[in-house]
Each structure stands twice: as C-alpha cells, then as structure tokens.
Amino acid sequence: MPELPEVETTRRGVEPHLTGATITDVVVREGRLRWPVPPALAATLSGLPVLAVRRRAKYLLLEFASGTLLVHLGMSGSLRLVAADTPPQKHDHIDLILDGRTALRYRDPRRFGAMLWHIGPVEFHPLLAALGPEPLGDAFDADTLYRASRGRTTSIKQLLMDNHVVVGVGNIYANESLFQAGIRPGRAARRLTHADCERLAAAIKSILARAIEAGGSTLRDFVGASGKPGYFQQTYAVYGRAEEPCHTCGSLIRQIRQGQRSSYYCPHCQPW
Ligand SMILES: [Zn+2]
C-alpha cells in the first residue's frame, strides 16, 4: 500500500510535468473506484491549466483556478507520465491528457483509490476536514503528541495510526518509529512521558524524511511506460522481521497483533 513517503515521492515525480500544463481531455476507462469518478470530469477540467500539485495526508491535490482534483492511490494505485498515444494496459483506468501530448495515467488494480473534484477551499472537503497535522510540519511535535495521548487507554501504536492525531503514519512507519524511540507498540498511550513523546515525534519525522529521501532516486521512473513507479525498497529495523535478530542487540524481533495489524518490536531495545 502506498504510504505517505510513496505519495510524496509520486507528487515530486509528477509535479514538474503537471504544473503549468493544460488539461486538454480526460479519458475515463473505468470510473468505479472507491467512489465514482465524476462523469463530467472531462468537461470540468478541459482547457484548465494545472496551477500546483500539493499533498495533504495521502491525498494528492491538483489545483486549478476553479477547484481541486483530489487523487488518492488507495491500496494499489500509481501515476505515471506516458505519451498520450501509448496503448493502455489492464488497470490503466484514467488518463489526464496534458497539452494534447502527454497522459498522466492512473493505474489501480484493486480500485480502492479515488479521483474527486472539489470546488472551494479544499481543506474543508469532508475527507480532509477532520485530519490531524502533517507529521513533517511544525504543527506536529512532542507537545502535540503528549497532549493527544493524555487519558488515552489505547496503545501508542494505534494512537499514531489515528488520522485525527497525526496523518500519514501507517503500519510500517508506526512500527519503525516506535523502535527508534525505544517504546513498545502495546504500551498505553497515556503512560508516555513527555521525554518519550520527544523521542517518538523526532523518530517519526526522521524516519519519514529518510524514506522520502530514498524515494528521490526513483523520480525519473514516473516518466515512460516501463517499470513500476514510486515504490522503493527500504530496509526496516523491525517491520516484517519476526524471529529475525535485532540489528542493534541481536534479540529476536517479536510479532503481535494489534487491531487488525501486525506489530513488531525488539524486547530488549523497546523494554516498555
Ligand atoms: Zn534490539
């Protein structure tokens, strides 16, 4: 599943090709995504230049003078830039044609993604209005995390994955950040000290920033018909490493279930 670093890498990969380009057509081959693609999208967008490509949480926001196109990659979505006459492959559901020459091509085998049109300030869109702060922004820090965790009996890992507290910390990065901060995923959120929150907020920021940096080497993969864009291999300290030795201390990484998700931790490096 594309997590925040992949979405930000996608934004950086496509943004230079989109900003300033004019949409000349929209081709919808399959509009049944998580929500139906607006049937009038071609009429809405044709003739409009893309003013900017921003990101909020895991939504890409293509800004036009008259509104914003929200794009979500869902479980399996990807974007790439191809010559407009490149034959579509299976699961290539939508093309935004740029200046009559290039297609921003949306592929999504599982169709859990979304492409939605919004008029007016996009921060008030129902999907965005209740979202918490961006993890890499100044609005998220140790104080935010400390306040959000007071009185919460839920585990710290589940709190981190709550979009009202902070956006874009999915299962992988929650596990990795808790390892770096030396905190067990199952610990009750309200038990965290302010010092814990300082280490954890710093770990979240550095791990996400490092992942985005790793994605930088794939930016050219967004152009052209071959390859798979935006998903880069990373090495993890604990995620997916059950029963393997910790790189720091050699203890075997443990796996537990929390909610519907797997959590991984080192019993020595994350004593509690
Ligand atoms: Zn360890």
Side-chain angles (χ1 to χ4, degrees), residues 53 91 104 208 211 270:
V53 183
H91 310 303
L104 178 70
L208 288 173
Q270 294 161 271

Coordinates of all heavy atoms in Angstrom, one line a residue, residues 53 91 104 208 211 270:
V53 N 0.6 21.2 -7.6 CA 0.4 19.9 -7.2 C 0.8 19.8 -5.7 O 2.0 19.9 -5.4 CB 1.1 18.8 -8.0 CG1 0.8 17.4 -7.5 CG2 0.8 19.0 -9.5
H91 N -6.0 -2.3 -16.1 CA -6.0 -1.5 -14.9 C -5.6 0.0 -15.1 O -5.5 0.7 -14.1 CB -5.1 -2.1 -13.8 CG -5.4 -3.5 -13.5 ND1 -6.7 -4.0 -13.2 CD2 -4.6 -4.6 -13.5 CE1 -6.6 -5.3 -13.0 NE2 -5.4 -5.7 -13.2
L104 N -1.2 11.8 -18.0 CA -0.9 11.4 -16.6 C -1.9 10.2 -16.4 O -3.1 10.3 -16.4 CB -1.3 12.5 -15.6 CG -1.1 12.1 -14.2 CD1 0.3 11.9 -13.8 CD2 -1.8 13.1 -13.3
L208 N 10.3 9.2 8.4 CA 9.6 9.6 7.2 C 10.4 10.4 6.2 O 10.4 10.2 5.0 CB 8.3 10.4 7.5 CG 7.2 9.6 8.2 CD1 6.1 10.5 8.7 CD2 6.6 8.5 7.2
A211 N 12.7 8.1 4.4 CA 12.0 7.3 3.4 C 11.7 8.2 2.1 O 11.9 7.7 1.0 CB 10.7 6.8 3.9
Q270 N 13.2 -2.1 23.1 CA 11.9 -1.5 23.5 C 11.4 -2.1 24.8 O 10.5 -2.9 24.7 CB 10.9 -1.6 22.3 CG 11.3 -0.9 21.1 CD 10.6 -1.4 19.8 OE1 11.1 -2.4 19.2 NE2 9.5 -0.8 19.5

